[in-house]
Amino acid sequence: MKGKILVAGGMGFIGSHTTVELINAGYDVVIVDNLSNSNADVLDGIERITGVRPAFYKADCTDMAAMRALFTAEKGISGIIDFAASKAVGESMQKPIMYYRNNLNILLNLLELMPEFGVKGFVFSSSCTVYGEPDHNPITEDAPTKKATSPYGATKQVSEDIIADVIRSGSPIKAILLRYFNPIGAHPSAEIGELPNGVPANLVPYLTQTAIGVRKELSVFGNDYPTPDGTCIRDFINVVDLAKAHVVALARMLEDKSDEALEVFNIGTGDGVSVQQLLDAFERATGVKVPYKYVDRRPGDIIQIWADPKRANEVLGWKAEATLDETMLSAWKWQLKLRERGIM
């Protein structure tokens, strides 16, 4: 084994896919998750794909006593990947205090425990939301961060500042901030994918649930934006590609491939795709029509943003590989598998 890695929020969408890629790369994985937006069946999917059932602790990362007990029990953790956070832009506009309390306390607890238990590397799940509404696209890591348009985005900005301050104070850790764009899709095996509890806040699971008849119709938030087709533009990245970026970022720190204690990378495809184009890609890839309607813009949404991933391509040796059609088809196969299992 290459080392023991703690994946905070590892039962969630991105965390579970990253756990698979970590296991495939030879790491010993420990997951901690409170299952607030995931379920324990994810462990079965991870095991079916990899043949390995990672250690799992059901605990809230804001609970310092529970986290210290975990670190004490799981001796020799060498790195942490932090996915544990509330993540819906719209919900954060309605529940800002919950977002600040949850997302920041999780981070503070992990950073405080790292030097105490000799943990060396920290990969933080950041977001393109730190850039706000960009002046230019594609956007590089050197672009200025702007006032966040949502409390969710603000927690990512503050978290980045906290990590930088901790390292600047002399803490003996290294960190990589991965500012990723819009993860979608599912594992090609259809054993794991995106399954939020309750009504999905993210576009693709709502789209696939509508396509299969669970939801009546999809609401597209705004068709009057100053874009070619009037809908928002994003950089949609396949979740497996995204997961692989975490593995190479972790290895970069643990193998001392950089002299920098803090590095930042955009993780995206480099292509701007509108919501309408995403819908078209789904219908093209699956042959399934999706009932949808245009509604008013959603508070907190920006007009358009997509990545310049050159730094990640060159420094990490990572590149997004899946096509949009392949990604949408994987999301649909995951939805069909859920129906087959009687889950949805």
Side-chain angles (χ1 to χ4, degrees), residues 3 12 17 22 44 97 107 114 117 144 170 172 174 208 215 232 245 300 320 328:
H17 286 81
L22 285 167
D44 298 329
I97 292 174
L107 176 68
M114 285 182 69
F117 287 88
K174 285 189 171 185
T208 58
R215 310 291 167 193
C232 290
M328 296 309 291

Side-chain angles (χ1 to χ4, degrees), residues 60-63 84-86 95-109 151 155:
D60 195 315
C61 294
T62 63
D63 183 342
S86 300
K95 302 176 180 179
I97 292 174
M98 182 190 87
Y99 269 69
Y100 283 110
R101 177 177 289 129
N102 185 66
N103 294 3
L104 299 181
N105 282 341
I106 289 170
L107 176 68
L108 292 169
N109 284 351
T155 67

Side-chain angles (χ1 to χ4, degrees), residues 259-276:
D259 295 330
E260 299 293 327
L262 179 63
E263 294 182 290
V264 182
F265 297 95
N266 283 340
I267 305 296
T269 67
D271 297 319
V273 174
S274 74
V275 173
Q276 184 65 59

Side-chain angles (χ1 to χ4, degrees), residues 61-138:
C61 294
T62 63
D63 183 342
M64 188 57 144
M67 293 304 295
R68 180 168 276 110
L70 185 160
F71 277 78
T72 301
E74 293 290 342
K75 291 181 172 48
I77 294 172
S78 55
I80 298 173
I81 303 181
D82 180 18
F83 299 107
S86 300
K87 64 175 187 176
V89 169
E91 183 184 51
S92 78
M93 302 291 285
Q94 301 164 352
K95 302 176 180 179
I97 292 174
M98 182 190 87
Y99 269 69
Y100 283 110
R101 177 177 289 129
N102 185 66
N103 294 3
L104 299 181
N105 282 341
I106 289 170
L107 176 68
L108 292 169
N109 284 351
L110 292 173
L111 291 175
E112 188 172 343
L113 288 166
M114 285 182 69
E116 181 179 337
F117 287 88
V119 182
K120 178 181 177 181
F122 187 74
V123 179
F124 180 66
S125 168
S126 193
S127 166
C128 64
T129 56
V130 301
Y131 297 119
E133 186 74 62
D135 297 324
H136 305 286
N137 283 296

